[in-house]
Amino acid sequence: MVPNEQILGLAAVLFAVGAIGFVARRNVLIVLMSVELMLNASNLALVGYGRLRAALDGHVFAFLVIAVAAAEAAVGLAIVIAVYRRRRTANLDEVKTLRN
Amino acid sequence: MNQLLEGLTLSDLTFYLVAALTIVSAAGVVFSKSIVYSAFALLGTFGGVAGLYLFLAADTIAIVQIMIYVGGILVLLLFAVMMTHKIESVDVTSRSMDLHKALPPAVVLIALIGVIAKKTEWKLLKAPDDNPITAKLGDAFLGDYLLPFEVASLVLVVALVGAVVMARREVKGDFSRKAEKESE
């Protein structure tokens, strides 16, 4: 069977890749995809820990995280569409009305 | 090479394949130049994570992952990609990729997680139970975890209504303008 350390290490790597994308890319959609990657990594770690404890709470929390991720994707993409309709851009650096 | 492969069972081999698929497609999402390629690489990551859930004997979560992430979030993302970029200009996307700004935080993060994971002594409390868990999960959601479950449904309703309100066109203004034109 798969050792838990490998699952946790995999989740850490996945989270780091998502973090790189979140910081480095300037397209809103890629940033949203990177957030989804990080949420997936945290879910993987939660289920891994739940298996370590032989209890159900890891699965329950993974479920709740998936629900929040769905809500985040819906609201985030609605904001992207609204901003694009007004500004004709999906680049984060060009949306700076609230800066200063 | 033979010695290396000797201790490897078929299940281990499958695990490493699925893990490689997950990480490689995640890298594809982040480093790909075309936004459409990124969206499709995300499919590989979501599928790979679903496979990893199966390795952890989390059958319900694996199915939910495929249904919600691949069937819902990924389709939503693809729609957003198509709506914010004209199809012909799809490969001219997100230019500035400032890797030297992004690498230090990521390296620090992974070093921190690694140190914590190394220093902590992980041990199994009980032998893991590899039987299907769907029935027990349903009991837990309607018993001990009833309040979080209901709060999650409320969050979903509010988020979906809010998303519709934000993404729709302003119909009201158009109607009044049309009415003005007609009255003129």
Side-chain angles (χ1 to χ4, degrees), chain B residues 10-24:
Chain B
L10 191 61
S11 129
D12 287 341
L13 202 65
T14 323
F15 172 75
Y16 286 122
L17 276 181
V18 173
L21 169 75
T22 311
I23 296 296
V24 168

Side-chain angles (χ1 to χ4, degrees), chain B residues 19-73:
Chain B
L21 169 75
T22 311
I23 296 296
V24 168
S25 0
V29 173
V30 171
F31 298 116
S32 164
K33 285 257 184 290
S34 158
I35 194 164
V36 176
Y37 287 162
S38 289
F40 279 107
L42 205 57
L43 176 69
T45 311
F46 288 161
V49 172
L52 292 173
Y53 287 152
L54 285 182
F55 269 101
L56 290 171
D59 42 2
T60 320
I61 305 278
I63 299 297
V64 166
Q65 162 93 5
I66 289 179
M67 273 181 5
I68 293 185
Y69 272 105
V70 179
I73 293 178

